[in-house]
Amino acid sequence: MSILIIKEKRSEKIDGTIVHLLNFCKELNRRNIEYYVLYNFKDYAFNFLKKQKINILQFDFPKSGIKDFLNFKKKNKFKNFLNEFLIHKNITKIICYTPYLLGVLPKINKNINISCLNLASFGKEDFNFFNKKNFNNLRSFINFFYYKYIYFNYEIADNIICSGNDSAQYIRYLKESYKKKIKILFNFTDLNGFKNKNLLIKKFNRKKKIVIGLGRFTIDKGAEDFCIIAKKQNKINNYKFIYVAPFDKKNSQFRKRLIVKYKKYVSFIGYKKNMRTIFVNSNLFLFLSRREAFPLVCLESMRVSTPIIGWNTVGVRDVVKHNKNGYLSKIGDYQNVSKNLTMILDNKNLYRKFSINSYNFSKKFTPYFFVNNFKKLKLI
């Protein structure tokens, strides 16, 4: 009896879904649960997982997108391979990391349980997209049809594993019949290297208060929102704003514009592998992403007793609990964010409350609890 996990390439870098897969499989290794991971590229992520002793195999199965969906030769080749693989490896559970993968599976024996993870983030524009009735051209109609009826088709899944409440709400919206399949298992990360609950007093007493932001240079990830707050806070001398971002060629022009415009107010640094050091040395995590599934980076900051301020939006509100471990503000209300930031960093009792709650809240979201919940639901 084995588990088959199917994961597609999403990025040139190590993204959140790869980290999720890594920590999930590490916990399976720890429990001696037999599994196989199928991945469709031999790239940096593949080699990274291989080095971490993840039982990963490569097969060129179809990527998401209309082009590969219409590549029947590639689809049939994968289906034939999978039919043999399922029997040979005695697979009893299949876990897909995105819904389009369900559409490239062969006809599956009813005795094999199929789960699909929903780790994506959805906003208002996504709901509007699926309500579309007028199309500018044939291409926009085909795009609409592909995503609504093919990519997000969960019909053959026995379970839809949602990473948060907002994620589950979106699936309910897609189709009435999907409601019965939904299981909410909050996202998780490996927090062993982040454990330190005694930092909060040391942090508060620092002369120079450091505010950290993190995310790609995009509007959705809140890069400019962070810079706007930094500019507003410029007159307060004991606050230093640092924005951590990976280099992304796609957004290089936006990145250059932000750096030129806000370099007086923000220190921009590249993404670091060891984020623990950065969070340990920060006083507050200003996380202004406008849409998330379930932000793991917030858990990492909370593990070292860091209060958080964020927008009251999809995914973020699953992690940031207003007036418990930080504050939430309406998207675009920079005045409120600025006020909340000053309130937390200048009030020792409030800072202590949010720091302790952040640390305690983070303890619930580990691979150990995630796999335990998977087992309780008989998904593995």
Side-chain angles (χ1 to χ4, degrees):
M1 294 173 65
S2 302
I3 303 163
L4 174 62
I5 302 168
I6 309 177
K7 171 77 177 77
E8 79 299 345
K9 175 178 178 171
R10 281 188 55 186
S11 170
E12 295 298 326
K13 302 287 183 179
I14 304 297
D15 68 357
T17 60
I18 291 293
V19 175
H20 185 283
L21 175 63
L22 170 67
N23 291 322
F24 182 30
C25 292
K26 274 186 172 181
E27 184 62 22
L28 295 178
N29 285 344
R30 196 185 68 79
R31 298 178 187 227
N32 294 317
I33 296 174
E34 191 173 61
Y35 70 91
Y36 300 89
V37 176
L38 278 185
Y39 188 73
N40 57 344
F41 275 87
K42 276 197 175 179
D43 58 1
Y44 181 79
F46 177 88
N47 293 325
F48 169 76
L49 292 169
K50 199 83 174 170
K51 285 178 184 176
Q52 298 290 325
K53 298 182 180 178
I54 303 307
N55 191 16
I56 187 168
L57 307 167
Q58 188 269 335
F59 191 93
D60 185 25
F61 58 77
K63 298 178 288 186
S64 64
I66 297 168
K67 186 178 177 181
D68 262 35
F69 174 74
L70 295 174
N71 189 336
F72 298 107
K73 185 178 179 181
K74 183 182 269 193
K75 285 168 72 174
N76 288 333
K77 187 178 178 182
F78 180 57
K79 287 179 180 182
N80 291 334
F81 163 79
L82 214 51
N83 276 326
E84 292 183 18
F85 189 88
L86 296 177
I87 297 168
H88 181 63
K89 300 295 184 183
N90 193 22
I91 302 296
T92 56
K93 313 281 184 184
I94 296 175
I95 301 171
C96 294
Y97 260 74
T98 39
Y100 95 87
L101 291 168
L102 299 169
V104 299
L105 297 177
K107 190 172 182 180
I108 302 293
N109 188 306
K110 288 182 179 179
N111 294 326
I112 297 177
N113 186 277
I114 304 172
S115 297
C116 185
L117 300 180
N118 180 34
L119 304 177
S121 58
F122 304 100
K124 187 178 179 181
E125 60 271 30
D126 298 295
F127 289 93
N128 293 338
F129 175 81
F130 288 117
N131 276 328
K132 239 181 180 182
K133 291 180 181 176
N134 299 314
F135 303 92
N136 297 328
N137 50 50
L138 181 60
R139 177 177 284 186
S140 65
F141 172 74
I142 292 172
N143 197 43
F144 162 81
F145 186 88
Y146 170 74
Y147 280 102
K148 184 164 186 177
Y149 297 106
I150 298 170
Y151 187 97
F152 286 107
N153 187 334
Y154 291 92
E155 290 297 334
I156 72 163
D158 298 298
N159 315 285
I160 305 170
I161 312 302
C162 296
S163 61
N165 292 312
D166 287 312
S167 171
Q169 183 183 352
Y170 185 80
I171 299 301
R172 292 185 196 104
Y173 172 82
L174 283 176
K175 202 167 185 179
E176 186 72 24
S177 60
Y178 293 163
K179 288 182 181 180
K180 294 178 182 177
K181 301 182 179 188
I182 292 171
K183 312 277 191 307
I184 299 177
L185 293 181
F186 286 110
N187 220 332
F188 65 91
T189 191
D190 182 4
L191 297 169
N192 288 331
F194 286 80
K195 190 174 182 179
N196 195 333
K197 63 180 179 180
N198 300 315
L199 285 166
L200 60 102
I201 298 301
K202 194 186 293 183
K203 282 188 170 198
F204 186 83
N205 290 334
R206 289 187 188 125
K207 289 182 181 179
K208 192 80 173 177
K209 302 286 174 68
I210 296 173
V211 179
I212 290 290
L214 186 146
R216 296 192 310 274
F217 280 102
T218 65
I219 292 169
D220 271 1
K221 289 297 178 183
E224 188 156 23
D225 291 338
F226 180 89
C227 295
I228 290 169
I229 299 301
K231 186 177 178 181
K232 274 184 169 294
Q233 290 281 341
N234 186 45
K235 292 178 182 178
I236 302 172
N237 295 321
N238 64 334
Y239 294 178
K240 182 177 180 180
F241 288 79
I242 299 173
Y243 195 77
V244 184
F247 176 75
D248 189 345
K249 289 180 181 178
K250 291 180 182 178
N251 303 304
S252 59
Q253 291 302 315
F254 183 67
R255 176 178 62 88
K256 286 175 185 176
R257 182 178 70 78
L258 285 193
I259 291 173
V260 170
K261 188 175 178 181
Y262 295 104
K263 61 183 177 182
K264 182 181 174 182
Y265 315 106
V266 178
S267 295
F268 295 95
I269 63 174
Y271 186 75
K272 307 295 180 185
K273 284 186 179 179
N274 185 6
M275 285 303 299
R276 182 188 183 278
T277 304
I278 290 175
F279 286 130
V280 163
N281 291 308
S282 67
N283 293 83
L284 186 138
F285 187 27
L286 183 57
F287 187 67
L288 298 178
S289 176
R290 295 181 171 221
R291 52 189 286 175
E292 291 287 328
F294 190 91
L296 299 179
V297 70
C298 290
L299 297 179
E300 293 172 352
S301 74
M302 288 156 57
R303 191 63 165 176
V304 289
S305 307
T306 314
I308 307 177
I309 290 177
W311 295 129
N312 186 6
T313 188
V314 178
V316 179
R317 53 183 165 239
D318 280 329
V319 183
V320 184
K321 301 301 178 183
H322 187 69
N323 205 28
K324 289 184 179 178
N325 63 339
Y327 284 127
L328 292 169
S329 299
K330 184 180 178 182
I331 291 179
D333 192 345
Y334 302 111
Q335 195 64 38
N336 187 253
V337 171
S338 190
K339 182 192 80 174
N340 289 338
L341 190 147
T342 304
M343 199 154 47
I344 293 173
L345 293 181
D346 288 359
N347 185 322
K348 192 170 184 175
N349 290 332
L350 187 64
Y351 192 89
R352 180 182 177 82
K353 170 189 166 182
F354 287 170
S355 294
I356 291 171
N357 289 345
S358 282
Y359 176 77
N360 289 334
F361 187 70
S362 73
K363 291 191 287 186
K364 301 175 185 176
F365 304 98
T366 63
Y368 175 82
F369 286 109
F370 183 81
V371 173
N372 269 3
N373 289 329
F374 243 71
K375 291 193 81 172
K376 283 177 186 176
L377 294 169
K378 298 181 179 178
L379 303 180
I380 56 173

